[in-house]
Amino acid sequence: LDQKLDQKLDQKLDQNNLDQTADPPRTKLSIAQYTTRHVSYGEELCWNYSCVTESEKEYRAAICLCSSTTCKGAFLDYAGSSAFTAVMNVRHNFLDRNALLIRACSEPLTAADRARLATAGIKSAALTMPGERTPSGERVECPEWLIKWASLTLEYIEMEKELLPAALTAKPIDGIVYDAGFAAATAAGVVATRISNLVVTLDKIKYVMRQPGQNRAPFLRHLSDGEVADHLLGDILKRAADTFARKVGVKAGLPFFGGKGARNAGAEAKMPAAVGQREGEAMRFILGVLAKPPREFTPREASQTLEACSRKIRELGAVHCAMADLLLLYARTTHWCTPEAYTGFQSPPVRLVPLPKDKLGGRDRRLKDANDGGDAEGTTVQIPEGTVQIPPDGASDAAPTKSTLASGRKLPAVFKGNIDNVMKKKYQPHFAWGQLVSWFKQTIYDPSASLSAERRGAMSLPDPESAYGAKNYVTGDRRSMLRQIARDPSKMWPTTWAWSFRNPGKVYGSPFIDDAIRAAKGEERTLPGLLEELKSVL
C-alpha cells in the first residue's frame, strides 16, 4: 500500500468496510483493497487484518486499539483458540487425520481431486517439484499420493468453513459473542490460514523428497494379504500363545512345545501337569493354528481364526479377559499399514546473506572486518563472506563470540553446545508422517517426536506380552478403556494402564482407525457395535 494511504487506514475487527486481496502480478505482486459497502464522506476506512499466530505470547501482546465495544480485543487471531478448534476437535482429530493419510496412500487421484485444488488456487506452483523437469521440459508433478492428500485435506477445510459459523454462534467462545457476520468473517480467516498451512506443509514434504536418494513412495504402505496373515497369526498370535502358556503353567512358554513338526507340537501336544484341563484344551487349539503356515490363510480367515482363539481364552475366566480383549481388537482390524523407509537427514546451515542493494556499514562492517583477523576476547566465530551476523541488543561492537551469539545463555541440549547447529535442522525418518498429520501447525521443531505417544491405543494396539500386567483389569483398566473408547477413541491410551506398545514389526492399525476411515467415506460405522460387544462379553 502507498505509505500515505496506509496511514489513513485502520484495523477494526467488526463493522469493517474494506476487503483485501492479492492482485495477479503484472510487473510485481500488488495488494489491493476494495470497499465492501457504501462508505460515507469522512468515514474511517478499516478492515480485519485476519492475521493468525501460533504464539500465545504474541497473541496476548497484540492489543487492538479500535475502541469498539464489540471488538474481541486483539488484532491477531490465536491458532490455539477455540475458534480454530471448534470443528477440528470433533471432525479432524488425530484418528481422522491419519485416516485421511491412509486413504491418500491407497486411493487413486481423480479429476475431481484436481478440480477441487484448482478451484482453491492450489495449482502447479504448489503441486510440482521445484527445479525438476521431464525430458520434454515439463515440470515434474508431485507424487500422486501427495496431491491426493492435499485434495482430501482441502475437502476437510471446505467442510470446516461450512460448519464453523454455526459452531461460533452457538455460544460465546473464549468470552467472545459472535453474530452471523462476525462468525462468517472469522471462518473465512480460519480457512485462509488452513490453506496457507496446507501449502507450507506441501513445501516441507517436497523438501524431504528432494534429498538425494530419498523415497517418494506413499508414506504409509498397506500390507499385502500375505503380510496381514503373517502379522496376525505368525506374529501376534504366536506372541500371545507364548504369554498365555506361561500364565497357565508352561514355564518355558511356547518353546516347550517345539517347532513345526516336533512331536509335542500341534493340536495333540502334551501339557505339563501344572496346566489345567480347560487351559490345556485352549492351548492345543492355538497350537493347532500355529502348526499351519500363516500364508495359507486369507486376511479374513486369519481374522476369524484369531477371534476364535479370543473366544477360547475368554471362556477360561476373568483372569484371561485382557488377552481375549486384545486378540478381539486385532481380529476386528481391517486396515494394516507400515511406514515406507524414508531416510533422515540434516539440512545444511542457513546463512543470512544481504540482498545486493544492501550495504554493510557501522556495526555490520566491523563484524565483517572481524572475520578478516579480528581478535576479540574469546573464540572468534568465523563469519562466511557476505554473511551478516547481528549481536543481541545491548552487546558490544566487538567481534561476535560463541557466547555472545548465544545471547549469553546456555544453548538447549539439542544443539550439543555448538552454535553452528542452531542454523541446521535434523529431519527424522518419520518427519513426513508427523508433518502430514499436524499440517495445521508450523512451529513444531520435530512433528514426529510425539507420534509414538499419540499412536498408543488409537493407531497402535498393545503388545500381547502386557496382557497380564494389570492386577484388576476387569474392574480397573478395562472400565477406563471402554469409557475412553466411547468418548474419544482418538485419545492416546495413558501410561498408567498396564499395556505396553513396543510394536517391533512397526505395523499400525486398529478398529478405531478403521472406523475413522469408514466415517470419512460416509460408510456405516462399526465401532459402536464393537464397543457394545466388549461390554457384553464378560
Side-chain angles (χ1 to χ4, degrees):
L1 290 175
D2 178 83
Q3 187 174 6
K4 292 183 179 179
L5 175 61
D6 189 30
Q7 293 172 350
K8 298 179 181 179
L9 301 175
D10 201 0
Q11 137 87 7
K12 185 168 283 190
L13 302 176
D14 65 336
Q15 303 174 4
N16 49 78
N17 50 31
L18 290 180
D19 196 9
Q20 183 170 283
T21 184
D23 273 0
R26 297 176 181 86
T27 57
K28 61 180 181 179
L29 184 66
S30 59
I31 303 297
Q33 290 193 316
Y34 302 89
T35 57
T36 57
R37 58 175 174 81
H38 174 74
V39 179
S40 302
Y41 179 80
E43 183 180 352
E44 182 182 33
L45 298 176
C46 50
W47 81 103
N48 188 340
Y49 290 171
S50 296
C51 294
V52 182
T53 178
E54 293 183 24
S55 167
E56 184 174 3
K57 180 179 179 181
E58 185 177 45
Y59 164 71
R60 295 191 180 282
I63 301 172
C64 182
L65 303 178
C66 74
S67 73
S68 171
T69 57
T70 58
C71 177
K72 67 181 181 181
F75 60 81
L76 292 178
D77 285 315
Y78 176 43
S81 70
S82 299
F84 276 76
T85 59
V87 174
M88 177 168 281
N89 286 347
V90 178
R91 304 297 292 269
H92 201 59
N93 58 39
F94 179 75
L95 278 178
D96 297 321
R97 298 192 297 273
N98 275 286
L100 187 152
L101 177 57
I102 291 172
R103 291 181 59 201
C105 292
S106 59
E107 297 179 10
L109 180 66
T110 66
D113 292 319
R114 294 185 182 277
R116 178 185 294 118
L117 292 166
T119 301
I122 302 176
K123 301 179 181 179
S124 60
L127 302 178
T128 55
M129 301 298 294
E132 298 185 15
R133 298 273 179 176
T134 66
S136 61
E138 297 178 350
R139 301 173 71 175
V140 175
E141 196 172 57
C142 292
E144 287 193 354
W145 71 268
L146 185 58
I147 300 175
K148 181 72 174 184
W149 173 85
S151 173
L152 293 176
T153 302
L154 181 58
E155 184 179 34
Y156 160 73
I157 294 173
E158 293 171 346
M159 177 185 68
E160 185 180 32
K161 182 181 180 180
E162 294 297 321
L163 298 179
L164 189 54
L168 294 177
T169 55
K171 60 182 179 180
I173 294 181
D174 296 335
I176 302 171
V177 177
Y178 289 84
D179 60 22
F182 192 13
T186 300
V190 169
V191 168
T193 301
R194 299 287 196 229
I195 292 178
S196 175
N197 283 330
L198 170 59
V199 174
V200 170
T201 292
L202 286 173
D203 197 50
K204 290 182 177 181
I205 304 304
K206 288 189 287 184
Y207 178 72
V208 171
M209 291 182 174
R210 284 161 46 208
Q211 302 308 306
Q214 185 61 278
N215 201 340
R216 294 190 179 184
F219 193 87
L220 294 178
R221 178 182 66 82
H222 271 69
L223 268 58
S224 66
D225 288 355
E227 288 175 321
V228 171
D230 277 336
H231 176 60
L232 293 179
L233 302 183
D235 180 30
I236 298 303
L237 182 59
K238 187 175 181 179
R239 291 160 59 196
D242 182 69
T243 304
F244 174 73
R246 296 175 191 275
K247 181 65 177 178
V248 298
V250 184
K251 294 182 179 179
L254 203 57
F256 172 84
F257 301 103
K260 183 180 178 182
R263 288 187 303 171
N264 201 32
E268 303 302 321
K270 294 182 180 180
M271 297 292 136
V275 179
Q277 180 180 352
R278 296 175 63 213
E279 288 79 3
E281 291 175 357
M283 190 75 241
R284 290 188 187 94
F285 180 85
I286 295 172
L287 290 172
V289 174
L290 295 178
K292 301 177 183 178
R295 296 206 175 202
E296 288 187 1
F297 297 81
T298 65
R300 180 175 177 80
E301 290 169 344
S303 296
Q304 291 172 340
T305 302
L306 197 63
E307 187 168 343
C309 293
S310 170
R311 289 195 297 270
K312 288 286 185 181
I313 292 175
R314 194 180 300 279
E315 292 171 356
L316 300 176
V319 68
H320 299 288
C321 183
M323 180 65 80
D325 284 350
L326 177 64
L327 294 182
L328 181 61
L329 292 176
Y330 275 97
R332 294 297 179 84
T333 299
T334 303
H335 295 86
W336 293 104
C337 59
T338 188
E340 279 284 1
Y342 274 60
T343 304
F345 62 95
Q346 187 174 52
S347 69
V350 175
R351 301 298 184 190
L352 304 179
V353 180
L355 296 172
K357 65 182 181 64
D358 295 332
K359 296 181 179 180
L360 294 178
R363 175 188 293 177
D364 294 341
R365 170 59 63 185
R366 289 191 290 278
L367 289 173
K368 183 179 181 300
D369 290 343
N371 189 48
D372 300 326
D375 56 355
E377 183 179 357
T379 303
T380 302
V381 176
Q382 295 298 306
I383 307 174
E385 180 70 18
T387 299
V388 178
Q389 300 274 3
I390 307 298
D393 292 340
S396 67
D397 288 344
T401 65
K402 291 182 183 294
S403 60
T404 59
L405 282 177
S407 302
R409 293 173 291 179
K410 185 177 179 181
L411 288 172
V414 69
F415 300 126
K416 299 180 180 179
N418 186 348
I419 190 67
D420 291 336
N421 289 334
V422 175
M423 306 304 284
K424 301 176 184 178
K425 179 178 176 65
K426 187 173 183 180
Y427 290 78
Q428 301 292 345
H430 286 185
F431 174 88
W433 189 355
Q435 183 60 46
L436 287 166
V437 298
S438 59
W439 61 271
F440 52 94
K441 295 182 286 188
Q442 304 300 332
T443 56
I444 305 174
Y445 181 81
D446 181 9
S448 66
S450 61
L451 275 177
S452 179
E454 291 177 316
R455 291 187 301 241
R456 290 174 56 95
M459 195 172 177
S460 179
L461 293 175
D463 301 316
E465 293 83 356
S466 62
Y468 295 102
K471 292 182 179 180
N472 298 297
Y473 171 74
V474 172
T475 58
D477 287 359
R478 191 176 198 269
R479 288 182 178 178
S480 300
M481 180 184 75
L482 295 180
R483 281 197 298 267
Q484 179 163 309
I485 292 173
R487 294 173 182 173
D488 187 4
S490 70
K491 189 177 179 181
M492 73 175 187
W493 291 15
T495 56
T496 54
W497 295 352
W499 301 112
S500 66
F501 296 84
R502 292 185 298 111
N503 192 6
K506 306 304 177 190
V507 175
Y508 299 95
S510 72
F512 321 119
I513 194 73
D514 286 350
D515 198 60
I517 292 172
R518 294 181 68 86
K521 293 181 176 181
E523 298 173 355
E524 183 180 359
R525 302 182 65 173
T526 55
L527 186 57
L530 175 59
L531 185 60
E532 290 303 314
E533 184 176 347
L534 284 168
K535 291 178 179 179
S536 65
V537 292
L538 279 181

